[in-house]
Structures are given as C-alpha cells and as structure tokens.
C-alpha cells in the first residue's frame, strides 16, 4: 500500500492490488477502537446511561441504527 501523487495503491480483502488515480486528496482510515470514556462519568453523576454504536463496539451504521432503534423500543 502506498500513496501516489494523484491517488493510492491498496490491497483488497481478497489480496489483489488495486490502484486509484485522479485523486486530489487521500484520507486514511486505519482502524477504530470503541471510545466509552463518557459513560462512566455520567453514571457517576447519577445519570441513566445506555452505550450503543461505536462507543460500545466498532460496527457499521446499520448495526448502530438498529441498536438505537431497539434501545428506543425498550425505554
């Protein structure tokens, strides 16, 4: 994987190499980790807290919105 002057070369999930050209910018998304720092502070302040989405587990938007809808039904 490498950044080119006008694009990038990357490896797909099946292991093949792809090249994208004609790009002005290249933005790297290099992994994510859940960030749940706020919930403990809110719990300590006596607030009811429900952790969903990327704060709980890194996933896709569909999983996050499904979790939010399920929680809304339960509340």
């Amino acid at each position: 994987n490498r950044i080119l002057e006008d694009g990038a070369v990357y490896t797909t999930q099946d292991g093949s190499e792809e090249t994208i050209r004609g790009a002005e910018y290249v933005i790297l998304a290099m992994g994510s980790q859940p960030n749940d720092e706020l919930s403990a502070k809110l719990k300590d302040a006596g607030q009811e807290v429900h952790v969903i989405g990327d704060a709980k587990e890194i996933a896709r938007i569909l999983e996050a919105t499904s979790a939010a809808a399920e929680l809304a039904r339960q509340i």
Side-chain angles (χ1 to χ4, degrees), residues 35-45 47 49-51 55:
N35 182 345
D36 184 19
E37 296 174 12
L38 182 58
S39 69
K41 294 175 185 176
L42 292 171
K43 286 178 186 176
D44 290 345
Q47 299 295 314
V49 177
H50 302 274
V51 179

Side-chain angles (χ1 to χ4, degrees), residues 2 5 8 13-14 21-23 26-27 31 33 41 43-45 53 57 59 65 68 70 73:
R2 63 188 183 279
E5 186 174 310
Q13 286 184 331
D14 69 6
R21 294 228 179 239
V26 175
I27 299 171
Q33 294 188 8
K41 294 175 185 176
K43 286 178 186 176
D44 290 345
E57 175 182 27
T65 54
E70 178 62 29
R73 285 189 288 276

Side-chain angles (χ1 to χ4, degrees), residues 1-72:
N1 299 332
R2 63 188 183 279
I3 306 298
L4 306 172
E5 186 174 310
D6 66 340
V9 178
Y10 65 96
T11 305
T12 65
Q13 286 184 331
D14 69 6
S16 63
E17 192 173 85
E18 297 284 333
T19 302
I20 296 177
R21 294 228 179 239
E24 255 183 78
Y25 298 96
V26 175
I27 299 171
L28 300 176
M30 301 186 63
S32 300
Q33 294 188 8
N35 182 345
D36 184 19
E37 296 174 12
L38 182 58
S39 69
K41 294 175 185 176
L42 292 171
K43 286 178 186 176
D44 290 345
Q47 299 295 314
E48 182 178 350
V49 177
H50 302 274
V51 179
I52 63 171
D54 284 353
K56 182 176 181 181
E57 175 182 27
I58 300 302
R60 291 182 163 67
I61 189 69
L62 181 60
E63 287 86 8
T65 54
S66 293
E70 178 62 29
L71 178 60

